Amino acid sequence: MPGVRSPAPTDYSQEPSRHPCLKINSKEPFNAEPPRSALISSYVTPVEFFYKRNHGPIPIVDDIERYRVSIFGLVENPKELSMADIRKLPKYDVTATLQCAGNRRTAMSKVRTVKGVGWDVSAIGNAVWGGARLADVLELVGIPMLAITTPSGGKHVEFTSVDMCKEENGGPYKASIPLKQATSPEADVLLAYEMNGEPLNRDHGFPLRVVVPGIIGARSVKWLDSIVITAEECQGFFMQRDYKMFPPSVNWENISWPTRRPQMDFPVQSAICSLEDVNLVNDGKVTVAGYAVSGGGRGIERVDISVDGGKTWVEASRYQKPDAPYTADDMCCDKWAWVLFKAEVDIPQDAEIVAKAVDIAANVQPEDVAVIWNLRGILNTSWHRVKVWVGQAKL
Ligand code: MTE
């Protein structure tokens, strides 16, 4: 029972317009990130500065009246839902950070070559996603809240898009999450039709996308076409032959994809966004500001800053809401969202400035990128280091 499928363009002649400040890492498919400084100008990332991560041309869903999402598979009461049906469900606004697993890949590739689009530190953004809760949508097809299986043996929820990706031999992008997560109201999984209070734009999944907070962005499928309840996790390329984390010993000769699970949760991460990799400053007073975030709804306990390459540390201040210090307490923070951090430091001379974050489970970013090197260059969460030279520019 496929949905009413809108034609996905087969080439890149009908791409939407984008903000000129974006740094384009690959033009076709379009993959781009904002300058570092744009990320810390506000807690909620403006849509035009939000990174764009695509695997094919951007679909055009122009007949919203005919648009349907089909829900079928191992479910007793399959259905096709229109946007009007989805909008009738209670609307939730969830502030959640989306991060591509390839964020900071370029830095990892300096250790040893990795395969994939290069990214600096801005393949990440924080948005207010508005839409229906997936758990409520699944209730419409007879799957109760907190179900871990359906009577016919469904244990996973697979999302299929309408885009065409070369990795899927021209087929659509797909991913799945466990039914247990999909039916848990606390997991806040959304079928989102709004981003920062506006209808989703084409780049970010118009008219409807999945947002799975706390896990790598690859599972938040855009341009949703169908939801299939399956016995096994999705067998698509992006679940089985990509976005898996391998040890440093694995190379393209000895790789065995089935030995690893699809990556879901993302680990604790932080990056300095007020400085580039190498900076020249007039005097030694430097603002060190950036973002920190962890997966699974684990808040950020601490962000440490060093000006001597990690020998000594000071703690940065952290915030989400303007004027309210962040407490990592479930009751007063956006649990799926990043914190922004800031520290003013004095550097007497040239320095290596480092940031590292600690989450509420005391997970700490690894010191050295080499120990987490992997051939696909995913999850570079090593300490973020930048160089600062004190002096005058030579004319
Ligand atoms: N969904 C579809 N249909 N096609 C895609 O290429 N890319 C995924 C995910 N969902 C993708 C997709 C990846 S890898 C990421 S990181 C996020 O979308 C990026 O979402 P964004 O472009 O809205 O920032």
Side-chain angles (χ1 to χ4, degrees):
M1 194 165 73
V4 176
R5 186 163 291 194
S6 301
T10 50
D11 65 22
Y12 293 90
S13 59
Q14 299 176 75
E15 294 285 284
S17 60
R18 283 105 177 188
H19 198 284
C21 85
L22 292 179
K23 179 172 162 265
I24 299 172
N25 297 327
S26 119
K27 194 155 174 271
E28 297 177 351
F30 189 78
N31 288 300
E33 62 187 310
R36 292 181 183 186
S37 57
L39 279 189
I40 45 169
S41 58
S42 59
Y43 168 60
V44 172
T45 313
V47 174
E48 65 269 31
F49 295 151
F50 207 94
Y51 78 101
K52 327 274 179 223
R53 175 68 176 116
N54 300 300
H55 292 84
I58 307 297
I60 305 174
V61 179
D62 47 13
D63 190 351
I64 199 70
E65 295 300 317
R66 291 185 61 227
Y67 173 80
R68 297 284 182 279
V69 175
S70 317
I71 311 179
F72 59 102
L74 300 173
V75 61
E76 320 328 305
N77 187 16
K79 265 195 171 50
E80 284 199 344
L81 299 178
S82 65
M83 277 307 292
D85 296 326
I86 290 165
R87 283 178 183 277
K88 268 186 227 142
L89 293 167
K91 182 185 167 220
Y92 289 84
D93 284 316
V94 176
T95 306
T97 297
L98 206 64
Q99 177 175 207
C100 183
N103 193 25
R104 304 183 57 204
R105 177 180 281 135
T106 300
M108 187 175 277
S109 71
K110 289 179 182 151
V111 174
R112 240 188 306 156
T113 309
V114 299
K115 195 160 152 190
V117 177
W119 295 94
D120 186 43
V121 305
S122 306
I124 187 168
N126 190 47
V128 183
W129 307 97
R133 220 159 47 179
L134 178 60
D136 293 343
V137 173
L138 293 177
E139 272 199 323
L140 297 178
V141 294
I143 305 178
M145 293 279 164
L146 302 174
I148 53 174
T149 178
T150 62
S152 43
K155 290 205 176 73
H156 296 266
V157 181
E158 180 173 303
F159 310 110
T160 307
S161 173
V162 299
D163 54 352
M164 298 168 80
C165 311
K166 68 172 181 336
E167 294 87 342
E168 290 284 11
N169 300 317
Y173 189 96
K174 300 184 226 176
S176 68
I177 60 171
L179 186 68
K180 193 173 157 201
Q181 186 175 11
T183 58
S184 162
E186 289 197 356
D188 284 330
V189 182
L190 288 188
L191 298 193
Y193 44 80
E194 277 182 16
M195 186 175 179
N196 298 350
E198 300 287 330
L200 278 180
N201 69 16
R202 275 181 62 206
D203 260 329
H204 295 290
F206 177 83
L208 196 65
R209 78 173 298 167
V210 183
V211 174
V212 193
I215 70 172
I216 62 166
R219 314 305 177 210
S220 289
V221 174
K222 304 193 271 188
W223 314 290
L224 185 62
D225 181 68
S226 47
I227 299 177
V228 195
I229 310 303
T230 55
E232 289 187 355
E233 70 190 11
C234 169
Q235 295 300 302
F237 180 91
F238 299 101
M239 289 283 286
Q240 302 303 335
R241 298 183 70 82
D242 200 357
Y243 299 118
K244 290 188 175 186
M245 174 78 158
F246 286 92
S249 57
V250 171
N251 58 45
W252 293 107
E253 273 74 57
N254 63 14
I255 188 166
S256 168
W257 288 99
T259 57
R260 297 285 148 188
R261 292 188 296 178
Q263 186 66 38
M264 299 305 259
D265 255 38
F266 61 75
V268 60
Q269 172 74 291
S270 74
I272 298 167
C273 298
S274 55
L275 297 163
E276 297 300 321
D277 281 348
V278 179
N279 309 269
L280 181 66
V281 296
N282 286 337
D283 61 35
K285 291 206 180 312
V286 177
T287 300
V288 185
Y291 64 77
V293 65
S294 194
R298 292 178 293 277
I300 293 294
E301 180 65 24
R302 221 174 69 219
V303 180
D304 298 329
I305 303 296
S306 170
V307 296
D308 52 17
K311 291 192 195 77
T312 61
W313 300 90
V314 293
E315 200 176 329
S317 62
R318 289 161 292 134
Y319 59 97
Q320 283 185 329
K321 312 275 183 270
D323 307 324
Y326 172 83
T327 62
D329 169 350
D330 231 26
M331 300 306 287
C332 54
C333 74
D334 292 325
K335 66 184 274 201
W336 305 114
W338 65 17
V339 302
L340 299 180
F341 68 82
K342 195 171 185 174
E344 306 290 347
V345 297
D346 281 311
I347 47 169
Q349 60 205 19
D350 306 342
E352 182 179 64
I353 300 187
V354 187
K356 74 166 150 73
V358 181
D359 73 14
I360 55 167
N363 296 308
V364 189
Q365 292 178 250
E367 176 173 349
D368 185 2
V369 58
V371 301
I372 50 167
W373 183 93
N374 59 92
L375 74 175
R376 281 291 282 112
I378 65 165
L379 302 181
N380 178 8
T381 54
S382 58
W383 293 4
H384 190 219
R385 303 162 188 270
V386 299
K387 291 228 156 40
V388 178
W389 309 98
V390 182
Q392 301 293 322
K394 287 199 185 83
L395 295 175

